[in-house]
Amino acid sequence: MSAATRVTTGADAWPVPVAPGAEMSAVVFSEFGPPEVLHRATIATPQPAPDEVLVQVAAVSVGRLLDLRARAGTHPYARFVLPHVLGAEHAGVVAAVGSGVTSSRVGDRVAVFPSVCCGGCRYCLRGQAEACQSLQLIGTHRPGAYADYVAVPERNVTPVPDGISPVEAAALALSGPVARNQLTQAGFEPGMWVLVQGAASALGSTTATLAAHLGARVIATSRSAEKRSRLEAAGIEFTLDGTSPTFAADVLDVTGGHGIDIAIDDLGEPAMFAATLDALAVAGSVVTSGAFLGGGASVDLLRLYSRCQRVIGVRTGNPESVRASWAEVARGFRPVVDRWFPLDRAAEAHHHVESDTNVGRVALVTQP
């Protein structure tokens, strides 16, 4: 059986915690370049600060921006000190705790929300930690989880309920809270029409399936007919080609002329963004948490204010969206997982994501 498959012992197994030594193994890159720059190295094991836990990694997600573009040296806003350990969204077991930790115990199965806020600024104090100007990302500004161990703040870990595999937990660790925050910020209510552009991606598939789980009428887009079929198999009610010249008309046809109440467009491709706005209902909202295909788009302000529409930027999740997304996991929500690879085959996993054939999350696992 191939290691790059969806259901195997390695993907399902949680490790038994092992007391850390002074050094550990990690996959790092010492220069920017293709996936082959990723290599094994022995580095110092991090020591948890008083408010931190040391997580023994079981699974870590492979992200297009946070991993692939960082490794290639094309990340738009981060600067790296090399060698660097990637890996933001991860899950594992607690192997050690800092002196001030009160609720986590060695052996706990946890998922790690990788956005580390200051906790004391005006945004953090009013529940908008995603706007914290001191925010750091594990795997970007801090050492990541392509490693045996990673030290993270205790407030960033969530206990993983029974029945969730490490790969599923890693797939939910960031995408779940971001998707929940996207919907919340847009004023989501069950029964709304929700559009997710580029829904085959890890975040897109999570947002689309979470919206459906919460009771939305969901339209998901992909240029690929095969991906649209796979999204339908994952429970999405309607799928369309977001690049079609008749896209806005197609949406209006599907929705009976109503249009889209909440549109999630993390792509930022100008023509698609314009088509998204053309399909937006009165009082509808467009939410963006990325601009992977662009960065600049035109907005008809006359239409925006006359139809009471909104464009909202959602940087990441926050503590409330973490709690809310895991509450839905307890109610049966699960992520879309494409496949997993052993950590030693990180380069192969990067090539797979770069090939743009995945539907849902791609992960690395530490278990053989």
Side-chain angles (χ1 to χ4, degrees):
M1 180 181 295
S2 169
T5 186
R6 293 185 64 182
V7 181
T8 73
T9 302
D12 294 337
W14 289 89
V16 176
V18 175
E23 295 183 324
M24 67 175 185
S25 178
V27 169
V28 308
F29 66 97
S30 301
E31 60 181 328
F32 298 114
E36 285 71 26
V37 300
L38 297 169
H39 64 277
R40 278 279 186 181
T42 298
I43 61 176
T45 303
Q47 299 299 309
D51 64 343
E52 292 183 336
V53 299
L54 188 70
V55 175
Q56 182 178 325
V57 179
V60 55
S61 295
V62 178
R64 185 173 295 277
L65 171 65
L66 299 182
D67 292 359
L68 271 61
R69 293 191 65 179
R71 182 217 73 231
T74 59
H75 195 290
Y77 56 80
R79 299 294 180 266
F80 298 93
V81 176
L82 303 180
H84 181 72
V85 183
L86 294 168
E89 310 157 67
H90 62 285
V93 296
V94 175
V97 300
S99 59
V101 169
T102 58
S103 60
S104 296
R105 299 289 183 269
V106 171
D108 287 352
R109 297 175 178 179
V110 296
V112 180
F113 178 61
S115 298
V116 181
C117 62
C118 73
C121 70
R122 60 185 297 187
Y123 303 108
C124 290
L125 294 176
R126 69 188 189 194
Q128 293 180 299
E130 65 269 39
C132 174
Q133 296 303 290
S134 299
L135 186 142
Q136 294 184 326
L137 281 171
I138 295 167
T140 299
H141 310 97
R142 300 162 59 110
Y146 283 24
D148 292 339
Y149 300 97
V150 60
V152 304
E154 182 188 21
R155 66 176 182 268
N156 283 66
V157 303
T158 298
V160 176
D162 292 340
I164 304 296
S165 72
V167 167
E168 289 174 320
L172 290 162
L174 177 60
S175 292
V178 173
R180 177 70 258 194
N181 202 22
Q182 288 177 322
L183 295 171
T184 298
Q185 295 298 326
F188 174 83
E189 294 178 359
M192 282 183 165
W193 283 100
V194 174
L195 166 71
V196 181
Q197 295 277 30
S201 70
L203 176 56
S205 63
T206 301
T207 305
T209 52
L210 179 60
H213 168 83
L214 292 170
R217 305 290 303 276
V218 177
I219 301 174
T221 75
S222 173
R223 290 172 293 182
S224 163
E226 179 185 355
K227 289 183 178 182
R228 293 197 297 272
S229 295
R230 291 174 65 182
L231 288 166
E232 290 168 4
I236 300 304
E237 189 174 5
F238 300 100
T239 59
L240 294 172
D241 180 353
T243 65
S244 168
T246 63
F247 173 73
D250 295 339
V251 169
L252 292 174
D253 183 58
V254 168
T255 62
H258 176 77
I260 296 299
D261 297 302
I262 299 174
I264 311 295
D265 187 335
D266 299 329
L267 302 176
E269 199 283 321
M272 290 183 67
F273 193 85
T276 297
L277 291 173
D278 288 342
L280 201 62
V282 172
S285 299
V286 179
V287 182
T288 177
S289 294
F292 302 113
L293 300 179
S298 298
V299 177
D300 183 341
L301 296 178
L302 176 62
R303 178 174 61 182
L304 195 72
Y305 86 77
S306 64
R307 292 174 63 85
C308 300
Q309 296 168 336
R310 297 185 298 162
V311 178
I312 306 167
V314 174
R315 186 184 185 189
T316 184
N318 56 38
E320 174 55 27
S321 71
V322 173
R323 185 206 62 76
S325 63
W326 281 98
E328 296 309 322
V329 173
R331 299 184 183 103
F333 176 66
R334 297 294 184 271
V336 179
V337 175
D338 182 80
R339 63 184 62 190
W340 66 270
F341 296 80
L343 183 58
D344 279 337
R345 290 167 58 186
E348 187 177 345
H350 278 224
H351 275 300
H352 178 66
V353 176
E354 286 181 338
S355 74
D356 198 29
T357 57
N358 62 293
V359 174
R361 179 59 70 189
V362 175
L364 301 168
V365 299
T366 58
Q367 296 280 20

